[in-house]
Amino acid sequence: MQTLPKIGFVSLGCPKNTFDSERILTQLRAEGYLIVPTYDDADLVVVNTCGFIDSAVEESLDAIGEALRENGKVIVTGCLGAREGVVESAHPQVLAVTGPHATEAVMAAVHAHLPKPHDPYTDLIPPGGLKLTPRHYAYLKISEGCNHRCTFCIIPSLRGDLVSRPVGEVLQEAEALAKAGVKELLIVSQDTSAYGVDLKYRTGFWGGRPVKTRLLELAQALGELGIWVRLHYVYPYPSVDDIVPLMAEGKILPYLDIPFQHASPRLLKAMKRPAAAENTLRRIEKWREICPELVIRSTFIVGFPGETEDDFDALLDFLQAARLDRVGAFTYSPVAGAAANALPDPVDEDVKMDRLARLMDVQADISAEKLRRRRGQVLTVLIDAVAGGRAVGRSYADAPEIDGVVHIAQGAGLKVGDFVRVKVTRSDDYDLWGKPL
C-alpha cells in the first residue's frame, strides 16, 4: 500500500497570510498530500512568513530555523520570501524560497522535493477548502496588493499593486463557504475599499446574473448569503458612505475596521496617508446618523519620526472626539526598505512607550464607557468556545482574535458555531458578560 507523502505547515502573520496558507493547504490536500501537525511526522515543512516589521522578520527567521532543526527540509513562502536574500543569508539550507500569494510556485517546489501521489480529486477536500480558522468563520480575500505608498509600509514592494479577484470567483467561494457551514465571513485585503479599481469596476457574473466588481455590489451580494459579513482594512473613501446603509438594513454587520494610523495632518502627510482628520470626523458622524449601531475599530502608530507632543495631543483629541469602539496601537518600528527610515527627528524609545501607554489609557476609558452602555442590552452572540459549563463568543462588535469577547456563565448547552441571544449583565474595559435567553 502506498504511503502518502506528509507535509508540515507553519503559518505566520496577518489574515491575508492565513488566506494564502489556506489556498496552499487546499491544493496540497487536493493532490493527496497529508497535512500533519508535527515536524517529526512530516516529509517536509512549508513556512508561510511575515515580513511587515522587524519583529515579524525575526519571528519568521526563528520559525524557519526551528523547522530546519526539527525537520531539515523546508520551503519558505510569504512576505519575507519576497526578500529572498534575507532568508537565504540566514538559512542557506532551505529548499526553496517564494514570495507572497504564490501557490503555484510553492506547489512546484513541493513537487520537486516530494512528488505528488496523484492528480487532484475534489472529493479529497471539504467544501470551501482547508481552513486554519474554526469551522464557523473564515477569511475571504478579495484582492491582493495596494496602490498606496505609505512611507512606513513595504507591502507594495512585497505584494505589488492592487489586483482585484474576479467578483464571480469571490462570490462562488463565499457561497461554497456558507454551504459548508461557515457562519461569518471576514472580508480582507490590503485596501478593501479599492476593490475593483484596477478592473475599472467591470461587470462579472454570479449565478447567471451580472455583478459589478466593486465593494458596494460585492457587499450587496454577500448580504444575500444569510451569514455574518464583516469588513476589514477599509479606507474611509467617500464610497464607503454607500456601504453604511447596507449595515443599517442588516445586510452586512455594522462594523468597519479602518486603519487611520494617526490624526495629525502634518504626520499623515509624512506617512503619505489621507491628511484630513476633520473630514474623517464628519464622515464618522454621518455614518453614525445613518447606522447608530455602527462599531468602528482602528489602529494607530505612535512615535513616527518627527512626531511632536503637539502631534500626539492631536491624536488624543481625535480619539476623544471620534469615540472609536475598538483601538489597537503600536510604536513605530523602522522596517528595512521603508521610506520613513530616512525621515529626520526619530522619537526616543522611552517617549514612544510613554505615548503608547497614554493612548491606551485614554482608549480604555472610552471603551469602558461604550461597553457600560451595553449592560441590559440583548445581543446576538456567535459561540467560539465551550468548556466547563461556560461559553465564550462574540457579538457583531467583535472580530475574532483582535477585539473583545462575550463571556457566558450558563453555557453548558451551547455549541461552537451557535448563534445565541445573550442579555448583557456586566462589562469591563474590553469584554462583556451575560446570560443566554
Side-chain angles (χ1 to χ4, degrees):
M1 182 176 175
Q2 180 188 16
T3 301
L4 294 178
K6 296 185 280 289
I7 306 282
F9 204 99
V10 178
S11 183
L12 305 173
C14 66
K16 278 90 73 178
N17 247 27
T18 299
F19 181 91
D20 290 345
S21 293
E22 291 169 345
R23 291 179 77 88
I24 297 168
L25 285 167
T26 297
Q27 187 63 30
L28 286 167
R29 192 67 190 92
E31 295 186 6
Y33 293 95
L34 294 180
I35 310 302
V36 295
T38 65
Y39 293 120
D40 290 342
D41 293 332
D43 295 307
L44 66 78
V45 178
V46 177
V47 181
N48 191 2
T49 59
C50 180
F52 181 52
I53 57 177
D54 287 351
S55 60
V57 172
E58 291 174 12
E59 180 186 16
S60 294
L61 291 175
D62 287 346
I64 296 166
E66 179 182 43
L68 285 168
R69 286 193 305 275
E70 299 295 329
N71 182 276
K73 295 182 178 181
V74 178
I75 292 169
V76 175
T77 187
C79 286
L80 185 59
R83 297 157 66 184
E84 187 174 352
V86 173
V87 175
E88 293 185 340
S89 174
H91 300 296
Q93 61 271 55
V94 297
L95 300 177
V97 181
T98 81
H101 57 94
T103 301
E104 291 183 5
V106 173
M107 294 308 300
V110 170
H111 296 156
H113 297 280
L114 194 62
K116 61 184 177 181
H118 55 68
D119 290 328
Y121 290 97
T122 56
D123 61 348
L124 292 175
I125 58 173
L130 296 183
K131 295 295 174 186
L132 298 175
T133 51
R135 184 170 179 266
H136 61 287
Y137 69 83
Y139 295 104
L140 180 62
K141 185 158 62 171
I142 62 173
S143 65
E144 190 56 76
C146 184
N147 289 340
H148 294 287
R149 294 296 182 266
C150 301
T151 56
F152 56 81
C153 181
I154 59 170
I155 291 295
S157 66
L158 298 176
R159 293 182 174 259
D161 288 337
L162 176 74
V163 178
S164 300
R165 293 179 64 195
V167 68
E169 177 185 303
V170 171
L171 289 169
Q172 285 173 6
E173 183 173 348
E175 190 173 25
L177 289 167
K179 289 178 178 177
V182 167
K183 305 290 184 67
E184 176 183 13
L185 283 178
L186 301 112
I187 309 305
V188 297
S189 67
Q190 266 70 50
D191 181 0
T192 297
S193 309
Y195 177 65
V197 167
D198 56 311
L199 301 177
K200 297 183 170 57
Y201 306 121
R202 73 169 173 236
T203 299
F205 291 89
W206 175 54
R209 78 181 211 234
V211 182
K212 264 192 176 182
T213 308
R214 189 169 61 178
L215 184 59
L216 173 61
E217 283 78 6
L218 176 64
Q220 288 170 333
L222 291 171
E224 297 175 18
L225 297 177
I227 60 178
W228 278 5
V229 176
R230 189 183 301 275
L231 300 182
H232 286 277
Y233 313 115
V234 176
Y235 277 71
Y237 303 145
S239 59
V240 178
D241 297 352
D242 298 327
I243 307 293
V244 175
L246 297 180
M247 299 177 176
E249 295 164 13
K251 301 292 179 61
I252 63 175
L253 293 183
Y255 178 102
L256 284 173
D257 174 7
I258 305 175
F260 291 121
Q261 307 297 17
H262 215 281
S264 161
R266 190 181 69 83
L267 272 198
L268 288 169
K269 185 176 181 181
M271 291 178 176
K272 292 196 174 177
R273 305 282 287 181
E278 300 81 3
N279 291 342
T280 297
L281 285 173
R282 285 196 292 271
R283 180 153 277 126
I284 290 172
E285 184 178 349
K286 180 182 175 183
W287 291 342
R288 285 174 172 157
E289 288 172 0
I290 297 169
C291 182
E293 293 301 308
L294 178 65
V295 161
I296 301 175
R297 95 165 317 274
S298 189
T299 51
F300 295 91
I301 299 171
V302 298
F304 189 79
E307 182 187 61
T308 65
E309 195 65 25
D310 286 344
D311 292 320
F312 181 67
D313 285 342
L315 175 53
L316 297 184
D317 290 344
F318 175 82
L319 287 178
Q320 293 284 14
R323 314 303 286 178
L324 302 178
D325 301 84
R326 303 293 195 187
V327 166
F330 54 94
T331 59
Y332 173 76
S333 171
V335 180
N341 296 343
L343 293 176
D345 303 319
V347 178
D348 183 80
E349 288 298 322
D350 289 340
V351 174
K352 289 181 188 177
M353 296 307 298
D354 175 69
R355 288 176 181 172
L356 177 63
R358 288 159 60 194
L359 183 150
M360 294 312 298
D361 282 346
V362 168
Q363 182 56 35
D365 290 341
I366 294 171
S367 176
E369 176 210 333
K370 290 228 164 196
L371 293 183
R372 276 194 298 272
R373 298 179 192 173
R374 297 283 188 191
R375 295 176 186 175
Q377 290 184 5
V378 176
L379 298 173
T380 298
V381 173
L382 180 58
I383 301 300
D384 284 335
V386 180
R390 297 173 178 270
V392 177
R394 295 174 290 106
S395 74
Y396 79 90
D398 312 308
E401 300 185 359
I402 55 174
D403 293 330
V405 297
V406 181
H407 300 273
I408 304 168
Q410 303 95 336
L414 302 177
K415 298 192 297 293
V416 171
D418 281 350
F419 281 116
V420 183
R421 298 286 284 167
V422 175
K423 185 171 183 178
V424 178
T425 56
R426 70 185 181 95
S427 63
D428 64 9
D429 289 353
Y430 300 109
D431 295 338
L432 298 173
W433 282 258
K435 57 183 180 182
L437 297 181

